[in-house]
Every structure is written in C-alpha cells, then in structure tokens.
Amino acid sequence: MKAFIYVGGEVNASNLTEHPKSDDLRIAADGGYENAKKLGEKIDVLVGDLDSIQSEMPEGAELIKVPAEKDFTDTQLAVETAIKRGARDIVIIGGGPAGLSAALAARRSGIESILVLERDSLLGGILNQCIHAGFGLHTFKEELTGPEYAAKYIELLRQTCVEVKSDTMVIHLTEDKQVHCVSAEGGYEIFTAKAVILAMGCRERSRGALNICGSRCAGIYSAGTAQKLVLNMLSTGAMIKTGKVVGNLNNDRLKQIRYLLFTRIRHS
C-alpha cells in the first residue's frame, strides 16, 4: 500500500508519473479534494477544517474534521494520517548496530518516514553484551564499549524523526513489501514501505538450535540469557542476593554481568 495525498493549488494531469492502485490509500487535504475530483480519483480519507470544499462531501470517504485554528496545516495532518495508517518510506527490521546505522544514514539522505522494528525491549542488539572496548574508533573517533557505542547511536536517533517500535516481533514479510508484526501495545499491525531493510544481525543460539539433547536443568543459563535476566530483574526492582556462575563462562562474561549490574545501580 502506498499513500497518495491530494493538496490544493494548480494541478496538471500530464505531469503525473504514477497513479494509485486499487489497494492504495488516497487522502485529500481539505481543498485537495477538488483536485482529486479533477483527476477522477475517489478518495478514502478527507482531512482538514473543510473550509475550502466547494462541492458536496465525498461519498464513502472517512471525514477527519479539525478546528480552523490549529497548530498544523491540513497537509501535515494528511501526512500524519498516512503514517498512522501504515505508509512508510523505509521499514527497518532490527534495532541493533546495523539497523541503527541504516536508519541514521537514511534520515541523513533526506528520507522522512522511517520505522525501526525491534523485537527486544532495548535497542542496541548484540552490542549490549559486548562490554569490551574497541568500538567507535572509526565512527565516533573514540574507543567505546559495546553499550556505550549503542548509546551514542541511540542518542543520535532520538534527535531525528525516526520512529521506533520495540518489543515488536515481525512474523511475515510479503513480496510487495508489507511487514506484518505483533506487539503487546499495537496488537497485529501491517506496515507497507517502498523499501525494507533486513538488519536482524545475530543472536545467541538456544540449546535447541545447538541440538543439545536431554532435559534442561533448572538454573543453568547461557551467557546472553543470564545477562538479560539480570537486566530484567534490575528493571523491575528485584534484588540479587547470592548466586554462582558455573560452566563455560570466562572472566569477560562475568565482567559483563557485573558491568550491567553496577551500571544499572549507579544510574538508578
């Protein structure tokens, strides 16, 4: 689905290079409805204070009427309506280092409507498990740990209009660039984009993916799962009193868990 927005002013049909298809969204910004009629287009949504409509209201169209005194123009409201209905220029699946850098690069290239979908509650991906130094030398000209490197990118992203949906799982991607996803907040949603960037990166494999046979023993976690457990416990205010880390965990892994623990305490 693409969104076609009709606005006021002069229109020359011979200059049009693309016309909406049957499943595209047609939105008229107030007086833009008159131009849609001239082009023979039936609109789906009419947005504005409706003070510029010179003919009868369109049949079957959804009317979104707003006060004449408002902070936004009718065209801006039409764009917001298109975005809320799922129209995007780019949808990026994955909010790790690849997804964050792709979103920033797209925004700096002038692309306005960008959506990042991340299945985890935190952006940063695998960087949140890499507390060793060595990141950022080329991009930020300073040596950073993984979480620090991710934080730099996240802060840059917050200064833009890029939309981020965390705790969102993508379950299907169609050939016509429709992204189907689910989340506790939005339920089942479908976003359509001109381009989709797959930036899922990597993740720690589960014991099932490693083909480890037998029943899983309670209390034994992989390194990534243990780190996430610590983060979840700290975010809910739980206290960790005692505990042992056994198995194939080296000092770097232990330092990662301690780093996450003390960083959260220090900033709480």
Side-chain angles (χ1 to χ4, degrees):
M1 177 191 73
K2 291 183 179 179
F4 289 78
I5 298 176
Y6 301 90
V7 298
E10 296 295 327
V11 60
N12 187 346
S14 61
N15 293 332
L16 297 180
T17 59
E18 188 176 5
H19 294 274
K21 299 178 182 178
S22 58
D23 58 343
D24 287 331
L25 180 63
R26 303 165 180 82
I27 303 174
D30 206 333
Y33 169 57
E34 303 297 338
N35 282 332
K37 284 181 61 178
K38 293 177 183 177
L39 296 171
E41 301 292 352
K42 184 178 180 181
I43 67 168
D44 301 302
V45 184
L46 177 58
V47 181
D49 52 31
L50 309 184
D51 60 350
S52 302
I53 304 297
Q54 300 175 359
S55 55
E56 295 182 358
M57 294 296 176
E59 293 184 6
E62 178 184 352
L63 300 180
I64 302 178
K65 188 173 182 179
V66 296
E69 296 184 5
K70 52 187 180 295
D71 296 329
F72 302 98
T73 66
D74 293 331
T75 301
Q76 287 175 303
L77 294 173
V79 172
E80 288 185 3
T81 301
I83 292 175
K84 289 178 180 178
R85 302 296 169 92
R88 298 293 192 283
D89 285 330
I90 292 181
V91 172
I92 301 172
I93 304 175
L100 293 173
S101 58
L104 284 171
R107 183 65 193 92
R108 289 167 178 168
S109 298
I111 298 173
E112 294 285 345
S113 180
I114 304 168
L115 172 64
V116 177
L117 301 175
E118 168 58 43
R119 71 188 185 101
D120 207 347
S121 57
L122 299 174
L123 293 174
I126 196 67
L127 289 173
N128 293 321
Q129 295 186 31
C130 304
I131 68 164
H132 56 274
F135 297 93
L137 293 173
H138 296 288
T139 306
F140 298 109
K141 308 304 180 186
E142 60 178 316
E143 190 174 36
L144 303 168
T145 64
E148 290 172 337
Y149 184 70
K152 289 268 190 181
Y153 263 117
I154 294 169
E155 183 56 35
L156 290 174
L157 204 65
R158 285 175 179 163
Q159 299 172 15
T160 70
C161 59
V162 173
E163 181 184 2
V164 175
K165 280 183 164 295
S166 57
D167 291 312
T168 301
M169 175 68 76
V170 174
I171 58 176
H172 186 53
L173 174 62
T174 66
E175 292 183 359
D176 56 351
K177 304 181 185 68
Q178 282 194 345
V179 182
H180 297 240
C181 58
V182 291
S183 66
E185 181 180 355
Y188 192 103
E189 297 178 286
I190 301 175
F191 298 99
T192 304
K194 295 179 181 178
V196 177
I197 297 177
L198 304 181
M200 286 86 75
C202 60
R203 60 175 174 172
E204 187 177 65
R205 288 188 291 176
S206 64
R207 60 175 298 278
L210 293 171
N211 290 324
I212 299 177
C213 60
S215 300
R216 175 176 174 175
C217 300
I220 298 178
Y221 302 96
S222 61
T225 303
Q227 290 167 338
K228 190 167 185 179
L229 177 62
V230 171
L231 284 173
N232 289 340
M233 294 179 71
L234 290 171
S235 65
T236 57
M239 295 297 294
I240 301 176
K241 295 181 180 180
T242 61
K244 291 184 178 180
V245 182
V246 296
N248 189 22
L249 284 179
N250 55 30
N251 288 332
D252 285 338
R253 292 298 190 188
L254 294 174
K255 285 190 286 186
Q256 289 171 13
I257 295 176
R258 293 194 191 101
Y259 174 84
L260 293 170
L261 175 64
F262 293 125
T263 300
R264 284 302 182 94
I265 292 175
R266 201 164 52 238
H267 290 87
S268 61

